[in-house]
């Protein structure tokens, strides 16, 4: 038989390698930024267009390349960073595989301009799909500019597989965070579609964190610092009360390289034990320094995982150090059984005789009567074709009325009496029997037996359909706030928010001011509590970042799902009979009443036969 094995041509081998190195635009960003760091640049600029799908450009003022190196750097296994296998165990650079540029050049249009310190003129080289198109001399400043255009132009499957621009941008920003946090002594700038996203001057690490994540971060930071023979730890953890529902700000750096380590993460989380609410994740920026020969970075192709020689000791040390820091900055709850500060009386009141509070209950108060408004929130309707049931719903969902009522019952006024007046009989009585169990399920009788409805999921379904309608065909009514609420997010989050601003406005949000990190909100969707606005938007941003719209589903869908989830009546909320009935009516007006937006069942029906069996 004839021999059949052939060596793959270089450009094919490079394309295959690219599959490992370049998963998405953010991978290119990481490689280019790291190369600039390795070239000892003190100032690095990242320019991105269309989430990196059209252009990724990194401009550095590092040591540059000679014209020969400029050509060589695109060959596979071409690296200036290691010379033999032993060097692998004493790495002081980010790169060492010599694969990145070869891979990138195989799947994009690449342009390189570079000049070394002592060369008079530099080099300008273009290369497309591994093929050198031109190399010319060029007048350029010292340093390197690498532009990557039309990523995956020759691998359509890969290109089509890319996620939406907000998602890809998020990944790019993540990489940018990781590299710029590890190198505060380098100035960084990021520009996306022509506007500045980050402008980070040379600074210390604390300032770098604040410049990236916003001014308010400063007061949340607790310094961490410890040194032993095997590891030196420095950096910050976020105070426990700022732990988030998503793993946002969790960063480990080992010898200035960002790494992921579930094991060390566990050490940190366990140091926070008992201090954070369940389901929240503490934030941290931790820098570990270990002797280079005690780690192996080579176990993962994109190098975010590493192996430590003495992982257990590092775990124990990290945990103890963080506990110590949290204690030292007295962020652990201090329990003083002798004294409760809430009993302290301000001096000017200490001599006065207490006045018995009086309470007035307006028994004819009806929140559904036009003209009534709740605490600083005036309900206004953008559309005049609002039907009566909608206004009924607005009031029902407005939890401020429930809160008021709680206060009243707390004062031992019989709640029945109050509710009796809140809802006039003739308006709501439908003759159907419903009741709530465990503040979680609504039970209603149906012809064939009984139906149990999950209140939270049912409300999610209702809101989801309503929100989708608002975003696409009919703008929602908006609750105008007397005083705009201010919410603050980091710059990239505000950027992300901008991409869905219009949809949000359709659902009832009115933005009265829009700055880099702070937004003023003067209108919110009906039924949303003023105090929840920040949380709802935060949750939505997290969902937008983390959840990728399923194929065929739009961003609107994702947005509606997320908002519905955080706006829906929570499990554990007591509901009035009329609210229960109203929820059922609305649910059955939905297109798909039986499943939640996430495809969970909303209701179960127990028919008489099922019941009969129980009594046999
Ligand atoms: P690695 O970084 O693993 O060595 P790369 O493919 O990323 O592999 O880069 C190949 C070589 O090109 C590097 O070793 C370096 O010598 C050179 N190089 C790449 N980017 C730059 C840059 N921005 N400035 C100077 N030299 C660079
Ligand atoms: Mg590299």
């Amino acid at each position: 038989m004839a021999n059949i094995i052939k060596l793959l041509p270089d450009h094919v081998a490079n394309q295959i390698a690219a599959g490992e190195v370049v998963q998405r635009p953010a991978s290119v960003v990481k490689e280019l930024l790291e190369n600039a760091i390795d070239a000892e640049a003190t100032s690095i600029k990242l320019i991105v267009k269309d989430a990196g799908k059209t252009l990724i450009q990194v401009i550095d003022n590092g040591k540059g390349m000679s014209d020969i190196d400029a050509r060589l750097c695109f060959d596979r296994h071409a690296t200036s960073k290691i010379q033999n296998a032993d060097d692998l165990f004493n790495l002081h650079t980010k790169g060492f595989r010599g694969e990145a540029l070869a891979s990138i050049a195989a799947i994009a249009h690449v342009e390189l301009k570079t000049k070394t310190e002592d060369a008079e003129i530099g080099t300008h080289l273009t290369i497309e799909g591994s093929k050198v198109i031109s190399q010319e001399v060029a007048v350029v400043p010292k340093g390197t500019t690498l532009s990557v255009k039309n990523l995956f132009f020759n691998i359509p499957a890969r290109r089509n597989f890319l996620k939406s621009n907000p998602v890809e941008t998020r990944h790019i920003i993540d990489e940018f965070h990781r590299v710029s946090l590890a190198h505060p002594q380098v100035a960084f700038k990021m520009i996306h579609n022509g506007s500045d996203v980050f402008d980070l001057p040379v600074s210390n690490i604390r300032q770098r964190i604040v410049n990236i994540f916003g001014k308010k971060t400063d007061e949340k930071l607790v310094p961490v610092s410890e040194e032993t023979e095997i590891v030196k730890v420095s950096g910050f953890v976020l105070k426990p009360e700022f732990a988030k529902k998503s793993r946002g700000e969790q960063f480990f750096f080992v010898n200035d390289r960002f790494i992921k380590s579930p094991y060390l993460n566990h050490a940190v989380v366990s140091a926070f034990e008992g201090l954070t609410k369940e389901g929240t994740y503490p934030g941290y920026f931790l820098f570990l320094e270990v002797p280079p020969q005690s780690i192996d970075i080579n176990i993962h192709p994109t190098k975010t995982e590493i192996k430590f020689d003495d992982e257990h000791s590092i775990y124990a040390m990290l945990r103890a150090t963080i506990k110590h820091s949290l204690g030292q900055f007295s962020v652990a709850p201090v329990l003083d059984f002798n004294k409760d500060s809430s009993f302290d009386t301000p001096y000017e009141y200490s001599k006065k005789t207490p006045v018995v509070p009086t309470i007035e209950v307006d028994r004819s108060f009806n929140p559904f009567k036009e003209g009534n408004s709740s605490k600083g929130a005036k309900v206004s309707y953008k559309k005049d074709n609002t039907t009566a049931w909608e206004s009924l719903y607005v009031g029902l969902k407005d939890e401020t009325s429930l809160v008021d009522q709680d206060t009243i019952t707390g004062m031992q006024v019989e709640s029945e009496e109050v509710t009796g007046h809140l809802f006039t009989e003739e308006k709501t009585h439908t003759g159907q029997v419903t009741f709530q169990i465990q503040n979680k399920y609504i039970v209603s009788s149906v012809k064939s037996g009984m139906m149990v409805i999950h209140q939270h999921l049912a409300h999610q379904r209702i809101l989801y359909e309503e929100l989708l309608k608002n975003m696409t065909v009919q703008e929602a009514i908006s609750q105008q706030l007397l005083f705009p609420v201010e919410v603050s997010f980091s710059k990239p989050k505000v950027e992300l928010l901008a991409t869905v601003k219009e949809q949000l406005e359709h659902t009832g949000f009115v933005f009265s001011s829009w700055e880099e990190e702070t937004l003023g909100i003067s209108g919110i969707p009906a039924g949303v509590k003023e105090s929840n606005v920040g949380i709802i938007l935060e949750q939505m941003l997290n969902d937008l970042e983390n959840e990728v719209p399923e194929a065929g589903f739009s961003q609107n869908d994702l947005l509606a799902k997320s908002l519905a989830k955080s706006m829906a009546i929570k499990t554990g909320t007591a509901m009035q009979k009329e609210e229960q009935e109203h929820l059922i009516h609305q649910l059955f007006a939905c297109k798909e009443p039986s499943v939640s937006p996430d495809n969970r069942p909303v209701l179960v029906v127990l028919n008489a036969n099922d019941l009969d069996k129980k009594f046999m």
Side-chain angles (χ1 to χ4, degrees):
M1 196 178 102
N3 300 327
I4 50 170
I5 296 179
K6 289 195 185 71
L7 280 177
L8 287 173
D10 267 355
H11 70 276
V12 178
N14 285 337
Q15 259 198 29
I16 295 170
E20 266 197 26
V21 182
V22 186
Q23 279 117 18
R24 53 181 3 135
S27 332
V28 175
V29 168
K30 172 180 193 278
E31 296 296 339
L32 298 189
L33 291 178
E34 290 189 345
N35 278 348
I37 298 278
D38 284 346
E40 290 157 20
T42 56
S43 168
I44 301 175
K45 192 154 129 188
L46 167 67
I47 299 173
V48 177
K49 285 208 178 107
D50 300 326
K53 294 172 186 172
T54 316
L55 172 75
I56 298 163
Q57 184 175 52
V58 171
I59 305 169
D60 71 51
N61 64 352
K63 60 184 171 203
M65 284 179 262
S66 69
D67 51 353
I68 300 205
D69 280 352
R71 192 135 188 170
L72 260 181
C73 71
F74 293 106
D75 283 350
R76 200 135 66 97
H77 308 307
T79 179
S80 56
K81 298 169 193 174
I82 58 168
Q83 293 184 353
N84 52 50
D86 289 344
D87 292 346
L88 270 178
F89 301 99
N90 196 14
L91 276 174
H92 295 280
T93 52
K94 311 268 167 242
F96 56 85
R97 294 168 163 259
E99 257 177 353
L101 292 184
S103 302
I104 294 167
I107 51 166
H109 297 160
V110 175
E111 206 178 322
L112 166 68
K113 287 182 186 164
T114 187
K115 187 180 96 67
T116 56
E117 174 95 73
D118 22 283
E120 303 241 310
I121 44 172
T123 297
H124 178 185
L125 186 138
T126 39
I127 179 164
E128 293 181 0
S130 298
K131 224 168 76 207
V132 176
I133 305 290
S134 68
Q135 182 168 13
E136 295 153 4
V137 292
V139 181
V140 288
K142 176 206 164 198
T144 303
T145 297
L146 226 139
S147 317
V148 177
K149 294 175 195 160
N150 308 322
L151 188 65
F152 298 130
F153 78 98
N154 51 358
I155 319 182
R158 260 292 164 94
R159 199 172 167 88
N160 296 337
F161 195 67
L162 290 177
K163 307 292 192 248
S164 68
N165 282 3
V167 173
E168 294 300 343
T169 306
R170 181 68 248 169
H171 285 286
I172 290 176
I173 289 175
D174 281 346
E175 293 298 349
F176 183 84
H177 281 167
R178 293 167 183 177
V179 178
S180 58
L181 281 169
H183 301 278
Q185 75 287 1
V186 176
F188 283 90
K189 209 174 166 124
M190 175 174 169
I191 297 168
H192 187 208
N193 290 339
S195 57
D196 277 18
V197 187
F198 294 101
D199 191 355
L200 312 172
V202 174
S203 65
N204 62 25
I205 180 62
R206 184 170 192 131
Q207 287 163 329
R208 177 59 50 97
I209 294 171
V210 170
N211 287 336
I212 294 178
F213 295 100
K215 288 180 215 86
K216 294 207 171 135
T217 317
D218 197 34
E219 67 212 43
K220 303 179 188 171
L221 299 173
V222 177
V224 174
S225 160
E226 183 65 271
E227 191 167 353
T228 68
E229 259 165 36
I230 52 159
V231 60
K232 184 177 161 212
V233 181
S234 62
F236 299 89
V237 293
L238 292 184
K239 289 179 186 165
E241 64 263 39
F242 298 107
K244 286 196 175 165
K245 286 223 170 113
S246 63
R247 299 164 191 272
E249 283 123 36
Q250 298 190 327
F251 296 88
F252 274 122
F253 300 91
V254 173
N255 297 357
D256 296 337
R257 188 193 290 277
F258 171 83
I259 60 136
K260 284 183 188 149
S261 170
Y263 183 67
L264 294 186
N265 173 64
H266 191 272
V268 180
V269 172
S270 72
F272 273 86
E273 217 166 64
L275 299 175
T276 48
K277 269 194 230 141
E278 212 184 307
T280 60
Y281 303 91
Y284 53 83
F285 306 86
L286 293 167
F287 296 79
L288 278 62
E289 268 173 60
V290 295
Q293 50 298 0
S294 75
I295 49 171
D296 181 0
I297 311 175
N298 213 358
I299 61 172
H300 195 274
T302 51
K303 297 164 288 182
T304 49
E305 278 159 33
I306 63 169
K307 229 167 63 198
F308 295 93
D309 281 353
D310 196 353
E311 228 173 19
H312 294 305
S313 315
I314 295 181
Y315 181 103
M317 189 274 199
L318 196 60
R319 193 185 127 129
T321 305
I322 292 172
K323 276 198 154 186
H324 178 74
S325 298
L326 289 173
Q328 209 177 21
F329 282 78
S330 63
V331 283
V334 184
L335 293 180
D336 184 349
F337 293 105
N338 297 323
K339 193 159 172 261
D340 183 341
S341 60
S342 62
F343 291 142
D344 284 354
T345 315
Y347 178 75
E348 56 267 54
Y349 288 116
S350 57
K351 301 264 152 46
K352 292 190 177 163
T353 37
V355 183
V356 180
T358 54
I359 170 168
E360 272 179 34
V361 180
D362 178 3
R363 288 177 186 281
S364 64
F365 178 72
N366 178 348
F368 309 118
K369 227 161 69 189
E370 269 194 56
N372 274 327
S373 59
S374 56
K375 279 197 207 152
K378 188 168 102 249
V379 180
S380 84
Y381 301 94
K382 273 196 202 151
K383 293 267 183 281
D384 16 358
N385 61 351
T386 316
T387 49
W389 64 265
E390 271 175 310
S391 56
L392 175 73
Y393 193 49
V394 173
L396 280 171
K397 279 197 299 179
D398 188 347
E399 287 171 42
T400 45
S401 60
L402 288 181
V403 170
D404 287 347
Q405 198 202 310
D406 282 349
T407 341
I408 295 166
T409 43
M411 299 281 182
Q412 283 160 5
V413 175
E414 273 184 21
S415 62
E416 252 93 279
E417 277 204 39
V418 180
T419 49
H421 289 277
L422 270 173
F423 305 96
T424 47
E425 290 286 77
E426 71 280 4
K427 204 171 201 169
T428 49
H429 216 273
T430 58
Q432 202 173 22
V433 186
T434 67
F435 58 92
Q436 197 184 17
I437 44 180
Q438 293 188 333
N439 288 345
K440 185 174 181 183
Y441 298 108
I442 299 169
V443 181
S444 170
S445 65
V446 287
K447 241 197 210 143
S448 57
M450 76 184 212
M451 181 168 60
V452 183
I453 296 173
H454 192 290
Q455 68 188 47
H456 176 64
L457 295 176
H459 200 201
Q460 264 189 42
R461 161 56 60 184
I462 296 166
L463 290 172
Y464 168 72
E465 292 198 4
E466 206 171 282
L467 287 163
L468 265 188
K469 192 173 84 192
N470 296 152
M471 284 177 211
T472 48
V473 289
Q474 183 190 28
E475 273 190 39
I477 47 178
S478 170
Q479 278 186 73
Q480 301 297 307
L481 305 177
L482 235 40
F483 304 103
V485 228
E486 269 202 356
V487 289
S488 300
F489 300 108
S490 61
K491 259 199 231 171
K493 290 223 166 167
V494 172
E495 279 243 314
L496 181 60
L497 198 68
T499 64
V500 293
K501 183 169 178 242
E502 203 181 320
Q503 286 105 308
L504 288 174
E505 285 168 346
H506 284 292
T507 67
F509 282 96
V510 180
F511 297 96
S512 53
S513 63
W514 189 282
E515 275 154 47
E516 270 182 354
E517 293 179 1
T518 313
L519 310 178
I521 297 177
S522 62
I524 53 181
V528 168
K529 256 207 295 194
E530 207 176 317
S531 53
N532 280 345
V533 175
I535 300 168
I536 289 176
L537 290 178
E538 172 93 48
Q539 186 58 47
M540 183 209 72
L541 287 170
N542 283 332
D543 288 350
L544 275 186
E545 279 168 13
N546 299 326
E547 274 166 50
V548 176
E550 289 165 47
F553 285 88
S554 66
Q555 200 180 32
N556 281 351
D557 182 78
L558 217 159
L559 203 65
K561 260 188 205 165
S562 168
L563 288 175
K565 213 179 263 176
S566 38
M567 283 162 59
I569 294 175
K570 302 275 173 296
T571 293
T573 310
M575 290 174 75
Q576 311 282 338
K577 203 158 223 58
E578 291 75 12
E579 290 176 293
Q580 299 170 18
E581 285 174 5
H582 190 72
L583 188 91
I584 295 176
H585 280 296
Q586 283 203 306
L587 180 63
F588 287 99
C590 284
K591 289 193 187 118
E592 271 187 82
S594 56
V595 287
S596 78
D598 286 325
N599 277 326
R600 286 170 61 188
V602 163
L603 52 91
V604 288
V605 176
L606 288 177
N607 59 37
N609 289 342
D610 296 335
L611 290 175
D612 290 346
K613 280 188 204 132
K614 303 253 178 229
F615 294 97
M616 288 210 281

